[in-house]
Amino acid sequence: MKKNVLLSIIVPIYNVEKYIGSLVNSLVKQTNKNFEVIFIDDGSTDESMQILKEIMAGTTLKTFAERLTGGEVLDLAAQL
């Protein structure tokens, strides 16, 4: 019997306040709900993360958000 594999989607966030709503709506509409979303804020200077927090409050997606800067993101990628 196959186990259900949890898919992790990593989404870099950097000044995408215009597009973040469309991204989340697309994720919510997925038929396979066996995934988590990891948002990584790479030092946005706009309202991307605030908008994301407001949108995510109304969803049931499993999410994680982390604020990193360029060097830390490279370190995280090396660990994967």
Side-chain angles (χ1 to χ4, degrees):
M1 179 187 296
K2 285 187 176 182
K3 285 186 173 182
N4 288 336
V5 177
L6 176 65
L7 176 67
S8 295
I9 302 169
I10 300 173
V11 180
I13 304 294
Y14 184 78
N15 294 343
V16 292
E17 66 183 7
K18 294 179 186 177
Y19 315 105
I20 195 71
S22 299
L23 170 72
V24 173
N25 287 334
S26 177
L27 293 169
V28 169
K29 291 178 182 178
Q30 297 301 308
T31 55
N32 180 350
K33 300 294 185 187
N34 197 21
F35 66 91
E36 65 184 358
V37 184
I38 302 168
F39 294 100
I40 300 177
D41 177 17
D42 193 19
S44 291
T45 56
D46 66 0
E47 298 297 316
S48 296
M49 288 305 287
Q50 182 59 35
I51 293 168
L52 178 62
K53 288 176 187 176
E54 291 170 8
I55 294 170
M56 295 308 297
T59 72
T60 58
L61 293 176
K62 296 180 201 173
T63 61
F64 304 91
E66 185 69 41
R67 183 175 182 120
L68 302 173
T69 59
E72 293 171 294
V73 171
L74 293 176
D75 292 343
L76 176 63
Q79 296 173 16
L80 296 177

